[in-house]
Amino acid sequence: MKKFIITILFFGIAILASIVGVFLMADATTDPFYKKFTSSKQSSLILGSSRIAEGVNPSIINKELKGINSYNYAFTYNTSPYGPTYLNSIKRKLDTTIKNQIFILGVDPWVLSNDSHNPNDLKTFEEQDGFLGTLKTVNSNPNFDYLVHNYSEPYIKILYNNSPLVVQDDGFTKLTLTLTDDYIENKKKETLVNYIDKLKEYKFSTLRLDYLKETITYLQAFGEVYLIRVPIDFQLLEIENTLKSNFDEVINDLTTELKVPYFNFSNRGDEFNYSDAHHLLPESADKLSIEIATRIKQLKH
């Protein structure tokens, strides 16, 4: 019996050690999120959905704005819409010992909407049950909490590290594949159909708008806040404006109230290139990031 127990313990320890070994191999290519939770507290956060995650490059911002060390802490429209969950995660990630920071917040109707008959019912905010709502730490390397409770693929996939979206050291999510024109056109069609379907369920949420205000107010204690609406394909913009036709008016009122600039690139969709109609390709992300930094510099002088 004693020998049997020892054998079981041996195999149990061996299995546990193997799992830990796999976890230690998790890196920037594990998925589009994991690495952001392994870095230390950060300053000058860049926030929003995947449009921001793939569209605003901190390395460009930092190069153009001397003395700034920005970090991209954006995720997706349904995991990091503005609300208490995202705000609490931002507070965990932000290095509050640093002053004179800058914060770039992406806005669009989707990150201020909710998939619910009552878009202002906090109990229906689904992101609270996602990784931003359940992670106890966002600054741990390795982050066992994320891998155990939030990694959605079989652990064996960590060994392959083959995600086409690679998270850079500054949090920027970079697409590493070269896409054909046919692939991009097909993805665009899929995206347009997908967002037409979303119109049936999503409604603009004044409660999310209130949390955006609260997020801005919180960040203003540590620096300057800038809102941006990234460019997207004009066909998708038309769908998006159906969700909230006076969106820019709402944001302009907010920025006037809180005294923050709003850089609206939505009317320049044909000047940029996308992987699917709304996620900027890396070269276009760099172009947009230079423009954002240039506008910030102009406001500072």
Side-chain angles (χ1 to χ4, degrees):
M1 184 66 178
K2 182 178 179 182
K3 184 178 180 180
F4 174 75
I5 293 174
I6 292 174
T7 301
I8 293 297
L9 287 174
F10 174 79
F11 279 109
I13 293 171
I15 292 171
L16 180 61
S18 297
I19 293 174
V20 171
V22 171
F23 282 0
L24 292 175
M25 295 181 69
D27 61 12
T29 64
T30 296
D31 68 13
F33 313 124
Y34 173 70
K35 188 171 182 179
K36 299 191 183 193
F37 301 122
T38 64
S39 60
S40 60
K41 286 179 177 288
Q42 299 291 328
S43 63
S44 295
L45 299 178
I46 298 170
L47 305 167
S49 69
S50 56
R51 294 180 185 178
I52 299 297
E54 298 178 44
V56 182
N57 190 339
S59 67
I60 300 293
I61 300 294
N62 298 343
K63 179 180 178 181
E64 297 293 323
L65 301 177
K66 304 303 181 184
I68 294 298
N69 188 28
S70 63
Y71 186 87
N72 193 312
Y73 196 62
F75 298 93
T76 67
Y77 79 95
N78 57 345
T79 58
S80 59
Y82 293 105
T85 296
Y86 197 18
L87 178 55
N88 288 335
S89 188
I90 291 167
K91 290 179 178 179
R92 295 189 190 103
K93 194 66 178 180
L94 182 64
D95 186 344
T96 58
T97 66
I98 300 175
K99 302 298 182 181
N100 300 317
Q101 302 184 45
I102 67 163
F103 302 97
I104 298 171
L105 279 61
V107 293
D108 61 60
W110 304 104
V111 294
L112 293 172
S113 297
N114 197 41
D115 180 8
S116 169
H117 294 297
N118 181 0
N120 298 311
D121 183 358
L122 187 61
K123 295 191 297 294
T124 66
F125 284 14
E126 294 182 356
E127 70 272 13
Q128 59 193 339
D129 297 320
F131 52 79
L132 288 182
T134 59
L135 271 180
K136 296 179 176 61
T137 175
V138 298
N139 311 299
S140 175
N141 188 18
N143 196 316
F144 293 119
D145 188 8
Y146 179 89
L147 293 171
V148 170
H149 298 109
N150 295 286
Y151 183 66
S152 60
E153 301 288 345
Y155 290 138
I156 191 67
K157 284 195 172 185
I158 293 176
L159 299 177
Y160 302 131
N161 292 333
N162 59 357
S163 172
L165 294 171
V166 178
V167 180
Q168 309 296 296
D169 289 343
D170 55 17
F172 179 61
T173 305
K174 186 174 182 178
L175 179 68
T176 58
L177 292 179
T178 300
L179 307 179
T180 65
D181 291 341
D182 286 343
Y183 176 90
I184 292 173
E185 185 61 28
N186 288 333
K187 290 299 291 184
K188 173 182 173 179
K189 291 176 181 177
E190 290 177 14
T191 300
L192 294 177
V193 171
N194 185 27
Y195 275 84
I196 289 172
D197 288 340
K198 291 184 192 301
L199 288 176
K200 302 172 186 176
E201 301 294 335
Y202 277 76
K203 295 180 181 178
F204 189 81
S205 170
T206 56
L207 181 58
R208 289 204 186 278
L209 181 64
D210 288 340
Y211 272 105
L212 173 59
K213 293 179 182 179
E214 185 175 340
T215 302
I216 293 171
T217 301
Y218 171 77
L219 295 173
Q220 283 178 319
F222 308 101
E224 299 173 345
V225 175
Y226 302 87
L227 300 190
I228 67 166
R229 187 176 185 183
V230 301
I232 59 175
D233 181 271
F234 282 137
Q235 287 180 268
L236 183 56
L237 180 63
E238 186 176 346
I239 296 169
E240 192 164 285
N241 287 339
T242 302
L243 176 61
K244 185 64 175 174
S245 60
N246 66 333
F247 180 77
D248 289 326
E249 184 180 323
V250 169
I251 297 300
N252 282 327
D253 289 344
L254 181 150
T255 56
T256 299
E257 175 188 347
L258 299 181
K259 296 180 174 58
V260 297
Y262 177 37
F263 304 152
N264 185 2
F265 296 94
S266 64
N267 63 345
R268 295 176 53 191
D270 59 350
E271 299 178 30
F272 298 83
N273 297 316
Y274 313 91
S275 62
D276 55 6
H278 63 144
H279 292 110
L280 292 170
L281 291 172
E283 297 81 6
S284 284
D286 289 352
K287 174 182 175 181
L288 178 65
S289 301
I290 290 173
E291 289 213 33
I292 293 169
T294 299
R295 292 198 185 191
I296 292 174
K297 283 191 289 188
Q298 290 172 344
L299 289 174
K300 285 179 171 291
H301 290 296

